[in-house]
Amino acid sequence: MSQAKGAPLRAFAIYLFAAAIGVAGGLLGSAFQIGLNWIQELTTGVDLDKEHLSDAVANNLPGWQIVLIPTVGGLCAGLVLLLLRGQRAPFGVGDLVGLVQLRKGTIRFRQSLVQIVSSACTIGSGGSIGREGANSQIAATFAAILARWAKLGSRPRAVLLGCAVAAGMATSYNAPIAGAIFVMEVVLGNFAMNVFGPIVVASVLATILRQQILSEGAIYARASENVAALSPTLILAALVLGLMCGVGGVAFRVVIDFGRRCFKALRLPPPLALALGGLIVGLIGLYRPETWGNGFEVVEKVAHDPLPLGMIVALFVWKQVATVATVGSGGLGGIFTPNLVIGAAFGGIFAQALGLIDPVSDAQRTTFAFVGMAGLCAATMHAPVTAVVLVFELTGHYELTLPVMLCSIVASISSSLIDEDSYYTAAMKAKGDAVPSGIEDLAIRSTYARDVLRSDCVTVRDTASFDEVMNHLGNHRGDTLYVQDGPGRLVGRIDLQDVQSVINAPTLSKVVIAADVTRPVVTAYPEDSIAALMPQFDDPELREVAVVSHGAPMRLLGRVRHQDVIAAIGDEVLGAQKRALKLSLVGEDHLLDLPSGYTIRAIALPDTWVGLAVDALPSAERRDLVVLLALRSDGGREETLVASPDLVLQDGWRLVVLGRRDAVAKLEAGPGGDD
């Protein structure tokens, strides 16, 4: 009875954790925003509730302060980073995507706190970078602490980090739906309900707290007052804008990479590099003060006010330069918001260009500014759904839906054709990480030996007698023994076939010891992924891999069976869907879209398997498949049994098996059947 209650309780716990992350993200993210406002008011001397940052810079600061403030801010940000002693700890949305998808690495409180303070110095002093990176980092730090406290595995830990990103995005943009969609589309690549539910909880709670603390509605409600419904011709023009945004998104990422390489070539210490980046931002601010800060209010200017074409072009160019200087010098933050500003300027330029062909009203220019904002976002992140929902939540205008949808999907497709990598996947590859391609590839690359490790290894000393070896093999359900020397170092393995020649020679059995029939052992480390383990099982004689410790002496930690690897793939890919698939599997031949070459079927129990326990099934027949469930008829109804190792299969049962298509087909056909 307790086992039946366990799963619902564990499933409910993830929602409690997600709620806690949402509350923490909303509270701490709002506090971070208040702190940024305080820093900016301190440096500019104006009340930002009454005046935009760019206006304050242009109207209240002398030129030397415009240059000095971001320079000093960058210097302070770099000095703070010296506390990390050269370590490159994960920070921001880009690194969090890697942590979630690859399920390796961790967030430490001290390192994260240092980075958040450094980010505040950069953003608060006018650095051209977004606060969504810091907001997500704040929530992710709490999520990492929570996951360590609860001793969660890699999969639920990844979900909690996804909740943190959603909370951070929602707190930054007052956009709970877009925050959740961004995580599902970009971070997790999975819209399964058992994942989507906790993400929504965290995103919604973070947004509620943000609204209560900061008392803000839709960020661009005022700027979008003049939004107009476009004619069919202008809606189709959004397709052209989408193509241009696709190219622009790739170009934006290229110039950021170029900026990073330039600053890296200078080999400056962090304080000087960030100070130089701030100096560049300050010098640009002398000419275009709108480039200061993340640029939230600049979008409002571009969309709401009919700015001259020259001013919009200047903003489009210099905002990119300021962002490249801030990010390239090592400033910690997000590029999401600057990307939106540049996209809005791009849309404004496009609208003015259309006006040369046919007059375009101010309301239509406003519309194209938001369409361009969505298009460049979709192209840079390869996230068209997020872009559509985000613009709708930022403006609250349904009239934007059609052109934004068209522009975003075209921009995402065209940018993918030019470069398969988004901003985030390119960052992962730059660090040498393999980027998963699809949920199946993600499953085998983000599940590790430690996740499927069995600790029930049977060991013998290398000096053990042959009779002792046979006694272990006779009492052990498996057919592999591990051999250790006196100090406990793993020296090899003994398989059942290794002793067959000795069994038939009684004289040998008296003198043979374990070391005489030991063969080399195939090993793996706990952090090795399933993707790395699978090629090992191409050897038809290898049934399991020994998991060992690093260093010398090599200690045996456990074992991973081939069946465990296949079962782990099925669990990761199907997850909780197995229960929903029960009716489809029973009574009909149903194939699922599994990893390439794999299938899941309900088949009749082979005659040769009747009376055998699951772990005693012929290894040659089940080398490329695993038995998941057993189905038996009981009084006219079908009962499902878990295929535990000691379950004895009976005549008339059916089995649910997961494995390679050819292996399942061969088993289903029976002796003499075609593959």
Side-chain angles (χ1 to χ4, degrees), residues 5-16 194 198 579:
K5 293 180 179 179
L9 287 176
R10 286 192 298 271
F12 181 67
I14 200 73
Y15 283 91
L16 291 179
N194 64 330
R579 293 188 296 271

Side-chain angles (χ1 to χ4, degrees), residues 228-493:
L230 298 181
S231 65
T233 302
L234 289 179
I235 290 177
L236 292 178
L239 186 150
V240 179
L241 179 57
L243 291 172
M244 298 173 66
C245 285
V247 177
V250 176
F252 180 65
R253 182 168 66 79
V254 168
V255 296
I256 288 181
D257 290 339
F258 175 75
R260 287 196 177 106
R261 291 195 300 271
C262 289
F263 275 92
K264 186 177 181 180
L266 295 176
R267 300 182 180 274
L268 296 174
L272 294 183
L274 283 161
L276 177 58
L279 176 62
I280 295 173
V281 172
L283 292 174
I284 296 173
L286 289 174
Y287 171 60
R288 284 264 66 89
E290 296 87 356
T291 58
W292 262 52
N294 55 36
F296 265 124
E297 74 280 359
V298 179
V299 172
E300 184 170 325
K301 282 189 173 184
V302 173
H304 189 267
D305 303 326
L307 298 179
L309 177 60
M311 184 177 294
I312 299 179
V313 172
L315 175 62
F316 173 74
V317 173
W318 291 112
K319 184 62 179 177
Q320 292 188 70
V321 176
T323 303
V324 169
T326 306
V327 176
S329 64
L332 298 179
I335 59 100
F336 214 101
T337 308
N339 185 259
L340 295 178
V341 177
I342 297 166
F346 196 27
I349 294 171
F350 180 79
Q352 299 242 21
L354 284 180
L356 299 177
I357 302 173
D358 190 43
V360 176
S361 66
D362 290 342
Q364 290 170 335
R365 291 182 185 181
T366 298
T367 300
F368 273 109
F370 289 116
V371 173
M373 186 169 70
L376 196 62
C377 174
T380 307
M381 316 298 175
H382 289 188
V385 180
T386 298
V388 172
V389 176
L390 178 63
V391 169
F392 178 72
E393 287 193 286
L394 289 176
T395 63
H397 276 272
Y398 178 77
E399 294 87 347
L400 291 167
T401 303
L402 293 181
V404 164
M405 288 176 64
L406 184 60
C407 179
S408 296
I409 192 64
V410 171
S412 182
I413 293 174
S414 58
S415 66
S416 299
L417 292 176
I418 299 172
D419 188 344
E420 65 179 1
D421 289 320
S422 69
Y423 177 82
Y424 300 119
T425 58
M428 292 170 62
K429 287 184 178 180
K431 293 188 292 186
D433 293 326
V435 179
S437 56
I439 188 173
E440 299 87 0
D441 190 40
L442 176 61
I444 66 174
R445 292 186 183 277
S446 60
T447 304
Y448 300 92
R450 61 176 178 265
D451 298 323
V452 293
L453 178 71
R454 289 174 175 260
S455 58
D456 58 346
C457 300
V458 178
T459 61
V460 295
R461 282 283 304 275
D462 54 354
T463 57
S465 66
F466 184 75
D467 289 338
E468 186 178 349
V469 170
M470 291 304 300
N471 182 56
H472 279 296
L473 287 173
N475 295 328
H476 175 47
R477 285 190 174 273
D479 50 10
T480 299
L481 301 180
Y482 293 97
V483 183
Q484 297 175 321
D485 60 11
R489 182 175 64 91
L490 179 65
V491 297
R493 79 180 197 269

